[in-house]
Amino acid sequence: MNTPPRIVATDLDGTLLTSEGTVTARTRQALRAARAAGAEIVFVTARAPRGAREIAARAGVTGTAICSNGAVVYDVETDEITARSPLDPVAARKVAEALAQSLPGVGLAVETGRGVLAESAYTRRVESDLAFYREVESVFDHDQPIVKLLALSVAHTADEMYAAVSPAVGDLAEVTHSGVDGVLEISAAGVTKAGTLERLCQDRGVEAGDVVAFGDMPNDLSVLLYAGAGYAMANAHPMVLAAAEHRTLSNDEDGVAEVLERLFA
């Protein structure tokens, strides 16, 4: 990039955060330097708003976060969801049928933007998020927005699930994953991290060439390809490493900070 970027779009887990889930002092300093130079820091994450807000506090970042793989736009300072693009309930039921046919015994959960509805077969629990789980007989018996439909198979990797499910789902929805074994993340058709980031950039009058982005998993790939400079972490998924134009150090080696220090020197 010939000029410093106007937007720094970064994934969180496996990217900005270390494997221990921390934000290092070096990374905090690099983010502060980017903000001081006029850049906006935008988290672009699979996490729900509550998870993004916690990290923002640790990283010293305020402003806007794109959450739930692009389905939610969230104001970190006010704790307000400013835009939401949920799955249509009819489409979600069709997706669930396709999942059941492709992956017998699959468990379902729904991220609503403010909590998780989980069926009994969806046994995965995030310890720090337990207060936000609600056990339900069926995720479709509740009038809650389906920000993300989550599918769990204890017998398959996420890559295996993706290969089995994507042809069956077709254009009903967006299917991806963020590296959690046995978990697929399904959003409304056309809803991706990159699509929501592009709209945010348009609102701010920012061109894609003025965006630098960082990520490590298949759900980050659209953002890395959209940005003027998209960096795959050294620890990234093979699909991401093969497709991204740029690479940086791993998340445990301050890969994001290493690039920002150069861009904002």
Side-chain angles (χ1 to χ4, degrees):
M1 305 182 80
N2 295 325
T3 58
R6 294 178 59 188
I7 287 183
V8 176
T10 181
D11 175 50
L12 296 179
D13 298 281
T15 301
L16 191 76
L17 302 179
T18 69
S19 298
E20 300 298 320
T22 62
V23 182
T24 68
R26 181 182 176 187
T27 293
R28 285 195 298 272
Q29 178 57 38
L31 293 173
R32 281 197 297 269
R35 291 185 65 197
E40 180 179 2
I41 312 299
V42 179
F43 291 163
V44 189
T45 178
R47 285 184 179 234
R50 57 190 176 274
R53 194 177 201 210
E54 172 196 347
I55 303 304
R58 282 192 256 157
V61 171
T62 58
T64 301
I66 293 170
C67 299
S68 299
N69 288 335
V72 168
V73 180
Y74 174 65
D75 188 316
V76 172
E77 294 176 79
T78 64
D79 190 29
E80 179 185 2
I81 292 174
T82 58
R84 185 159 33 199
S85 302
L87 262 164
D88 175 77
V90 174
R93 285 181 180 272
K94 291 180 179 178
V95 170
E97 292 171 4
L99 287 165
Q101 292 173 3
S102 302
L103 299 166
V106 68
L108 299 179
V110 161
E111 171 60 58
T112 69
R114 293 298 187 184
V116 180
L117 307 176
E119 296 180 359
S120 59
Y122 190 91
T123 55
R124 179 176 184 265
R125 296 292 182 271
V126 178
E127 187 173 351
S128 61
D129 213 24
L130 288 177
F132 297 93
Y133 279 83
R134 178 181 169 193
E135 310 295 327
V136 297
E137 185 172 342
S138 169
V139 295
F140 299 113
D141 290 343
H142 302 267
D143 186 22
Q144 295 286 332
I146 304 174
V147 166
K148 278 198 309 185
L149 181 65
L150 303 168
L152 172 71
S153 173
V154 296
H156 300 86
T157 67
D159 284 331
E160 290 168 345
M161 293 174 72
Y162 181 84
V165 166
S166 290
V169 171
D171 59 4
L172 281 172
E174 300 292 334
V175 181
T176 189
H177 69 85
S178 54
V180 178
D181 273 349
V183 176
L184 287 184
E185 303 171 30
I186 299 142
S187 304
V191 173
T192 64
K193 287 184 173 186
T196 304
L197 177 62
E198 183 177 15
R199 288 192 294 275
L200 182 146
C201 288
Q202 289 172 346
D203 290 344
R204 286 153 170 73
V206 175
E207 300 289 336
D210 291 320
V211 178
V212 62
F214 302 90
D216 71 310
M217 282 293 159
N219 62 333
D220 299 316
L221 188 51
S222 64
V223 172
L224 301 187
L225 297 177
Y226 164 75
Y231 285 83
M233 311 303 290
N235 53 286
H237 188 283
M239 179 193 302
V240 178
L241 289 170
E245 183 178 358
H246 305 285
R247 295 189 186 186
T248 184
L249 302 175
S250 75
N251 61 320
D252 288 327
E253 298 170 302
D254 291 305
V256 172
E258 191 273 334
V259 174
L260 295 183
E261 287 163 357
R262 286 190 281 107
L263 292 176
F264 294 98

